[in-house]
Structures are given as structure tokens and as C-alpha cells.
């Protein structure tokens, strides 16, 4: 009942359902804006807001929704907005493995967002750069959306990181990597692109501007080698 009333009121003004300190040290907010529940930090949207729009645009630009996908790995699961897009616009039966480093994010996701409680979703509490070394499953799709507040951890932007992910991709599988531009970022978009291209031959860059922020979504395909090339 509280959430239903909050959704109605949110058409008049934003409503906050819960605010907590995350395991990684920054504030997490569950807010309702224009009838939609979102997960935010004090500075950026974490799930179901601009972030979901960014991936929806990138998926449409690359015709992902027309592909056959059986399994997906999502490092940086958040509250499940990418998983929600895949299940609602691609195939409701896709098996999703989400990696999330913050226990509080997982708790909030399961409390407020039905996608996180889906029978087709498994959420692993782990650092993404550590978990991908241990995992042995292969996937048709990998979507990397790892952020700590507005910063992508350096360990999730390395050649080694993308090499491990490539080894977990099925042949013809795709990987999407989201990067927000920050002037003071240690690793700039150009360097990230170089690291991805060092592992994948086929890379597409999709610039996306939303609410004053500039994001880049890098899309790479694991293509089967021909005659050893």
C-alpha cells in the first residue's frame, strides 16, 4: 500500500522510500519518480532511470532484441534494470547471472524490484574482477555495468579482465561495456577502448548522452576465427 501511494504522489514530487549506507561506503537511495521506482546514489542513477535508457538505446542500435539469447552474465547487476530489459524485450526465459559487490544493493533489489526475485535470475555477492576468474559457465551475452558511485573500478577496465570475460563468451557471443565520462577519471574512455580492442577484434562504440552525462557503450563480438586469423 505504501509503495502504491508513493507512486501516485511521485507524479507531484519525488518520494524517497529508503536511504542507507552501502557496503562500499556511499549512500544508496530508493526513490520514486513519476510512478517509477529507481535506485540512486547521491550523484548518479544506479538502476531503472537514465542507466536503463542508456542500455535500451545501445541494445536497439545493435539489434540485440532480435537475437537468440539463452544466458547472460551481468557484472554490476544493481537492482536488475539490464536483466529487466532482456526479459521484457528479448526473451523472458533468459538465464541471468548477476554479480554485485554490495550486499545492501542486493537487499534493496530483492525488497523493491521484482526482477531481482525472478526465478531466472541468480545474484552472486562478489567483486566482479575476482568472480570472473572462478566462474566456469559460458554465456551468450555479457553486460558490464560495474560502478562504485560514478566511477568504474580500475580492475574492471583491464586487458586481463576482458580476456577472462572473452573466455566465458560462447562463439558469436556479445559483450557490452558501459563507461561514464569523468574528466578526472584515472582511465579515460580512449584507454578503455584500447584495452577492449586488445582482446576483441570487432568493437563498436556507441556514445549516449542522458541528463547532462556522457556515456560510451562498447560492444564487442567473439567471432569464430577463420584459418587461424
Amino acid at each position: 500500500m505504501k509503495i502504491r501511494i508513493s507512486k501516485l504522489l511521485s507524479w507531484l514530487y519525488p518520494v524517497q522510500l529508503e536511504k542507507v549506507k552501502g557496503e562500499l561506503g556511499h549512500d544508496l537511495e530508493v526513490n520514486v519518480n513519476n510512478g517509477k521506482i529507481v535506485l540512486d546514489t547521491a550523484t548518479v542513477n544506479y538502476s531503472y532511470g537514465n542507466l536503463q535508457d542508456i542500455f535500451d538505446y545501445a541494445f536497439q542500435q545493435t539489434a540485440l532484441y532480435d537475437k537468440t539469447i539463452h544466458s547472460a552474465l551481468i557484472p554490476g547487476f544493481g537492482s536488475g534494470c539490464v536483466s529487466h530489459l532482456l526479459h521484457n524485450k528479448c526473451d523472458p526465459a533468459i538465464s541471468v547471472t548477476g554479480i554485485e559487490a554490495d550486499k545492501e544493493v542486493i537487499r534493496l533489489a530483492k525488497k523493491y524490484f521484482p526482477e531481482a526475485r525472478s526465478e531466472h535470475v541468480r545474484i552472486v555477492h562478489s567483486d566482479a574482477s575476482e568472480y570472473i576468474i572462478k566462474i566456469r559457465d559460458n554465456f551468450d551475452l555479457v553486460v558490464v555495468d560495474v560502478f562504485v558511485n560514478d566511477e568504474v573500478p580500475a580492475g574492471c577496465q583491464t586487458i586481463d579482465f576482458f580476456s577472462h570475460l572473452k573466455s566465458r563468451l560462447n562463439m558469436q557471443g556479445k559483450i557490452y561495456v558501459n563507461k561514464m565520462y569523468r574528466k578526472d577519471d584515472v582511465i579515460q574512455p580512449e584507454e578503455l577502448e584500447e584495452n577492449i580492442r586488445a582482446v576483441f577484434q570487432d568493437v563498436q562504440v556507441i556514445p549516449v548522452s542522458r541528463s547532462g552525462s556522457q556515456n560510451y557503450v562498447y560492444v564487442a563480438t567473439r567471432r569464430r576465427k577463420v584459418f587461424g586469423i
Side-chain angles (χ1 to χ4, degrees), residues 75 127-130 132 144-148 150-165 175 177-182 184-200 216 218:
D127 179 284
S129 61
E130 296 176 0
I132 62 168
V144 182
D145 190 41
V146 182
F147 281 87
V148 178
D150 62 349
E151 185 175 353
V152 181
C156 294
Q157 302 184 74
T158 65
I159 292 175
D160 188 55
F161 179 77
F162 295 118
S163 295
H164 282 297
L165 287 180
I175 179 172
V177 183
N178 181 30
K179 171 79 170 179
M180 179 188 295
Y181 172 74
R182 293 172 61 245
D184 59 345
D185 208 340
V186 175
I187 298 178
Q188 290 295 315
E190 295 81 4
E191 183 179 351
L192 174 60
E193 182 179 345
E194 289 178 3
N195 290 344
I196 296 173
R197 289 188 183 278
V199 178
F200 295 91
Y216 298 89
Y218 303 88

Side-chain angles (χ1 to χ4, degrees), residues 25-67:
H26 53 279
D27 290 335
L28 299 168
E29 303 173 2
V30 179
N31 299 314
V32 191
N33 294 310
N34 296 329
K36 187 175 184 179
I37 302 177
V38 298
L39 179 64
D40 297 322
T41 69
T43 57
V44 294
N45 172 246
Y46 252 22
S47 282
Y48 290 99
N50 291 331
L51 180 65
Q52 189 173 42
D53 293 340
I54 288 169
F55 276 111
D56 189 30
Y57 178 78
F59 292 163
Q60 290 183 52
Q61 292 299 303
T62 53
L64 181 70
Y65 296 135
D66 297 329
K67 308 296 183 184

